[in-house]
Amino acid sequence: MNNSMITAMSSMNGLQQRLDLLAENVANVNTAGYKRKQATFSDLLRTVQQQPEAFERPGRLTPGGFSQGWGARIHMLQPDLSQGALKETGLSTDVAIEGNALFEVVTDAEGTRAFTRNGAFQLTLNGNGDTILATGDGYPVVAVMTGADGQTVEGNVVLPPNCDLRIYPDGRLEAVNAEGTAVGLGRLKVVEPTKPALLAAVQDNLFAVPNGVNRDDVLTDIVPGEGNRISLHQGYLEQSNVSLVDELTELINVQRAYQLSARALSSSDMMMGMANSLRG
């Protein structure tokens, strides 16, 4: 009976984590650029119990003993980076990615990098008074440009005064003044996740490379349209890839499994109480 209680308790713990994950997906069904999170379960522990010799019969083909499980646990959490629907907004600062790629942003003064699919950018002022392109939470968007010495450098997207922003499908940036003169601002930095399972979801709808993991093993710097099926769309936003019908269906299944484990736990507790009363 102790074994059944332990198994039921372990399973309920894993199912509760799965319920929390589904709730997070449902809550972000209308969040631009949100990627649903999915969980993979594995056995917590499995032991082989030996059977009495009476079970050894002539002609038996299966080995003796039986496997006893001890519940399940979440083995891995990873984002589902499948494409979401594109919605036209008409805003020049909104950018949607078509294909398997991420924008790169700076999250602190030390230059820590994070990555996102949410292209709902805005123009804001930095500490120097320059107008830069940033996320809705204020993280500067990273651009690649050519420095004064001809070398490729990375920095903020700085928009000159009284200019409009133009973004091409390959990520090139231009500032266009009232006379229609265009000035190049570099190119939006876009990366392709080669191992998305290693990306860690952090706050503000961002992804980060965990400590101890080599960035080049997870992400590859790319230029949209150069040998890939990736392109950028100005004036569009990518919607969440969460399917509300699928999430609610899975929610019902997990709730039923949780109820079953809870009944197994209460039944084990009742049988233990009966055994204790008989012993007295």
Side-chain angles (χ1 to χ4, degrees), residues 19-258:
L19 284 172
D20 295 340
L21 198 64
L22 290 170
E24 182 179 353
N25 288 339
V26 172
N28 288 279
V29 67
N30 292 320
T31 301
Y34 179 81
K35 295 303 177 184
R36 65 180 293 270
K37 297 179 178 64
Q38 51 190 7
T40 302
F41 284 84
S42 63
D43 289 337
L44 186 62
L45 181 67
R46 182 175 294 274
T47 57
V48 178
Q49 301 289 340
Q50 296 299 323
Q51 293 175 322
E53 295 182 0
F55 284 84
E56 296 292 339
R57 296 290 183 178
R60 177 172 177 170
L61 301 179
T62 58
F66 62 93
S67 297
Q68 180 179 1
W70 296 86
R73 66 179 178 89
I74 290 184
H75 174 68
M76 179 183 296
L77 291 176
Q78 65 182 50
D80 175 13
L81 296 183
S82 59
Q83 182 73 44
L86 301 186
K87 180 180 180 180
E88 186 175 5
T89 64
L91 297 177
S92 62
T93 54
D94 286 344
V95 190
I97 297 178
E98 183 179 3
N100 181 31
L102 299 166
F103 297 111
E104 185 167 327
V105 300
V106 179
T107 58
D108 56 29
E110 286 72 30
T112 304
R113 302 300 176 90
F115 311 91
T116 184
R117 290 278 296 199
N118 186 1
F121 300 142
Q122 61 181 0
L123 297 176
T124 186
L125 295 178
N126 63 5
N128 299 326
D130 297 326
T131 300
I132 65 171
L133 188 67
T135 67
D137 297 296
Y139 302 124
V141 180
V142 178
V144 180
M145 59 202 73
T146 303
D149 57 356
Q151 299 295 320
T152 300
V153 296
E154 297 180 359
N156 299 333
V157 180
V158 180
L159 188 67
N162 304 318
C163 289
D164 295 326
L165 181 64
R166 180 185 296 166
I167 304 174
Y168 290 91
D170 61 356
R172 285 182 294 118
L173 302 163
E174 288 183 348
V176 183
N177 59 21
E179 289 76 24
T181 304
V183 178
L185 302 178
R187 176 175 48 81
L188 282 176
K189 186 175 183 182
V190 179
V191 298
E192 181 179 7
T194 54
K195 295 181 180 178
L198 296 181
L199 288 173
V202 294
Q203 75 283 351
D204 299 329
N205 200 14
L206 300 175
F207 298 102
V209 178
N211 294 330
V213 178
N214 187 0
R215 178 192 181 279
D216 295 336
D217 293 337
V218 183
L219 302 168
T220 302
D221 296 336
I222 62 167
V223 175
E226 292 189 359
N228 52 60
R229 298 182 179 179
I230 299 171
S231 62
L232 306 184
H233 299 271
Q234 185 179 21
Y236 288 80
L237 280 180
E238 181 187 12
Q239 303 302 295
S240 168
N241 67 348
V242 174
S243 171
L244 190 59
V245 173
D246 294 340
E247 296 299 316
L248 292 180
T249 301
E250 182 65 17
L251 182 64
I252 294 173
N253 293 334
V254 174
Q255 285 179 329
R256 294 293 183 266
Y258 190 91

